[in-house]
Amino acid sequence: MKRARVADLLRREPGGVVEIDGWVKTARHAKEMSFIEVSDGSSVAGIQVIAEPDLANFEDEVRALRTGAALRVEGELIESPGKGQRVEVAARRVEQVGGVGDDYPLQKKRHTFEFLREIAHLRMRTNSLGAVMRVRNAASQAIHRFFQGEGFVELHTPVITASDAEGAGEMFRVTTLEGASADPDAAAADFFGRPAYLTVSGQLEAEIGAAALSRVYTFGPTFRAENSNTSRHLAEFWMIEPEVAFLDLDGNVALAEAFLKSVCGDLLEHCRDDMEFFALRVEKSAIDTLEHVIREPFERMTYTEAVKILEASGRDFEFPVQWGADLQSEHERFLTEEHVGRPLVVTDYPRGIKPFYMYLNDDERTVRAMDVLVPRVGEIIGGSQREHRLPILETRLQEQGLPESEYWWYLDLRRHGSVPHAGFGLGFERLVQFATGMANIRDVIPFPRTPGNAEF
Amino acid sequence: MKRARVADLLRREPGGVVEIDGWVKTARHAKEMSFIEVSDGSSVAGIQVIAEPDLANFEDEVRALRTGAALRVEGELIESPGKGQRVEVAARRVEQVGGVGDDYPLQKKRHTFEFLREIAHLRMRTNSLGAVMRVRNAASQAIHRFFQGEGFVELHTPVITASDAEGAGEMFRVTTLEGASADPDAAAADFFGRPAYLTVSGQLEAEIGAAALSRVYTFGPTFRAENSNTSRHLAEFWMIEPEVAFLDLDGNVALAEAFLKSVCGDLLEHCRDDMEFFALRVEKSAIDTLEHVIREPFERMTYTEAVKILEASGRDFEFPVQWGADLQSEHERFLTEEHVGRPLVVTDYPRGIKPFYMYLNDDERTVRAMDVLVPRVGEIIGGSQREHRLPILETRLQEQGLPESEYWWYLDLRRHGSVPHAGFGLGFERLVQFATGMANIRDVIPFPRTPGNAEF
């Protein structure tokens, strides 16, 4: 007999003998009967197991079962008289595989997310973190499904890099030397013969891929050595970066919209139970928000229009609104939540606040950047059409004080078969936060890395 | 008109007007006609475009087109009189989007893989590296498909870690300090407040996942700071690590076999053209080998049996065969290629040559390890049932001189709801090497990281 997943059993019709491997979520011991809710992590709901005194180990073992104990159950799948569940298991055999210590920290009561972070080796056993991990998994698959369906090739860009994708951003250094230095002369003796870092973005390498395979995407870990202790920052996070040859800004906007709609739709289709859990326990609007993204056409405006709207809003923002300054989170949320009331794509930002690789518009004041803003989260996607004209790219590098020698291969792409191309980046954890409504980004990744924390 | 992918056009019936964006693979200019093979990286074959003098830019632009130039073509999809192709495009319009410099290094002649590594920003435009990237993509998707179909949850285990999964293995250090030290006191001032490293395996964290979600797998980059300059080693490579609760060694062997068969089957189904290219140009046995893996049941023997067979073989091996020493590549290849002539799983290795976390057999001399060996490559998968019994695990840690304090959470998993569990690791690049027959591992990853090399 092959053991069954709880998620599958809960959908089955009553009948037949089943075997379950799992852990006790709750155990209630009545006089002549024990009710044991068993979970195997395959769904937010466990399955109820009924044990009666005819079991040989009823008094000794079954009645001593506690939350967290591992067990193997064999029994009949019967119709459940209880509400909220169609089936339950009338046990023929209950075997405790592994007990729990008296100090088992996950008791029945609810725990704060802060506390659960300290026991990240156990927290995935809770309803909320288990649901997060399943939604995370479904989102990951939804992303692959979208891009593969559109003929993209997944490209594994390197984690260890000698270049800095943005000409900015604090980076982690990678070394095998004791007393290691970032000085190029000293680093000549290091593993890679030069200073090496953890990547902040796979974009530049993805552009290499797009210039050969037309449509590529990366999906991998990226790093920021910023000393940010906020609910929206991680030192290590996963990022998705599609890059497409022969694509302009308009095409890029359309791609981002189709992508987000597709992923949100997949989550509602494949994770309904978990999403209902989030709507019930974490963020009331969780499901509505996804449905809203799927249904509503995204609004679009330029940065210049956005600034005018903000200036005319009469709002007293903490940060001043001024053409040439970057939009702050409060501005973004006003625009998407209050002004347009749906997802919004802001395009054509001032050249001075955007990286060198963005396509310069004819006005020479703005570049073909785009940010996708969504209610409750603000910016979820940032992208651009890339500068593919060699002379302008060289000027932009100089402008930002970046040495051409470090970008020789990036410039080479503009020398040989250069084409208009575009792409964007999506922080995977931001997406999971958006979908689940989880307030802190540390609770949507299995083992968060933040300043002072690399435990587990 | 939506532009079409070349891969899709090649499968279409003649008829209709199409638009193609791509690059010139070859251009042959006859007297009254130009033959241009255009590729967009979607397939190993390009599509032939026929241009005639009625095009306005025929003399000036079309006849000057060279390998590597980017172009946009509009034309009629017609039946091809040539052999080896069903359709071709009779051009109505050919527009050069981006030219190539005189120093474009990818001319028509074949280049060595060594040379191509120096121009990794261009090499994906070649037939062989393009095919590698498509097979790599297909293998990645095949892996997700298998595990998702079996109810696994993909778990993103951390890249930055404070622990060492094997109690061995050279690791890269991660730091934000100038003159950084691995000394714990000095590292207290570093970003994570302690020495931090790049992970060599996600296994220990995957065990956390399995103890909550039952079936998980990782798929992410891992790192080895070994000074190995071989055709089989990378400093950065991708690894797949499934981990399953309530699974013993037998189940683990069965999982590995089902997994490999499924992935090989997917590659033949989804990458037929690319696989035929490899069989023709790189490794004659490429397709046969995959078919062999799919068809043949895997053989199984213990390490002790394997040693007896090797001793009785009469072979003059470079490395001596002796119970207690690890099997060398030459031994593994003899066993799988010559002795059994198909994939082989060797189990139950001496405890002394395997890590602390492997389940100790009753004989106390061996542990429940398994290596999956395949013809041409040798070991492709390594795994084990894990030690889930707390007292024995503690003894094993002491034996290997590993401090319990660093493994507090790993031991905790054995205190609370501990269950038999098992898993394995597969080096993704080894798999791609195996499938394609590519001789050097640096040619199956977009941007290889090796001692002295972190370019691109």
Side-chain angles (χ1 to χ4, degrees), chain A residues 140-167:
Chain A
S140 169
Q141 298 314 306
I143 289 162
H144 288 302
R145 201 175 297 127
F146 174 79
F147 286 121
Q148 296 290 325
E150 298 286 325
F152 283 65
V153 172
E154 186 189 6
L155 195 74
H156 292 125
T157 49
V159 167
I160 296 173
T161 178
S163 65
D164 172 351
E166 313 243 347

Side-chain angles (χ1 to χ4, degrees), chain A residues 91-109:
Chain A
R92 287 182 183 178
R93 190 169 56 80
V94 174
E95 178 200 345
Q96 173 166 301
V97 176
V100 283
D102 289 335
D103 56 343
Y104 187 57
L106 288 176
Q107 298 307 327
K108 209 178 159 181
K109 70 179 174 75

Side-chain angles (χ1 to χ4, degrees), chain A residues 287-393:
Chain A
I287 290 178
D288 293 346
T289 305
L290 295 188
E291 284 172 347
H292 179 82
V293 169
I294 297 166
R295 194 180 53 231
E296 297 290 328
F298 288 16
E299 182 71 54
R300 182 170 164 179
M301 65 177 66
T302 66
Y303 165 90
T304 303
E305 289 163 348
V307 166
K308 280 183 194 146
I309 289 165
L310 291 165
E311 283 171 342
S313 71
R315 281 301 175 95
D316 187 22
F317 293 113
E318 191 188 340
F319 293 90
V321 176
Q322 196 191 349
W323 200 99
D326 213 351
L327 298 182
Q328 299 295 320
S329 186
E330 56 175 344
H331 308 140
E332 294 174 341
R333 295 191 59 169
F334 170 81
L335 291 167
T336 179
E337 289 171 10
E338 300 188 49
H339 187 75
V340 303
R342 52 200 169 103
L344 168 66
V345 190
V346 180
T347 65
D348 302 287
Y349 284 73
R351 71 190 282 181
I353 57 171
K354 291 290 182 185
F356 71 93
Y357 51 72
M358 295 192 178
Y359 186 96
L360 187 64
N361 278 317
D362 289 345
D363 64 13
E364 298 204 348
R365 297 178 71 211
T366 59
V367 290
R368 289 194 187 161
M370 68 169 198
D371 280 358
V372 181
L373 315 177
V374 290
R376 192 149 49 67
V377 163
E379 185 197 326
I380 194 164
I381 281 178
S384 68
Q385 183 176 333
R386 319 306 188 187
E387 186 55 76
H388 73 285
R389 299 162 298 181
L390 182 61
I392 299 176
L393 187 62

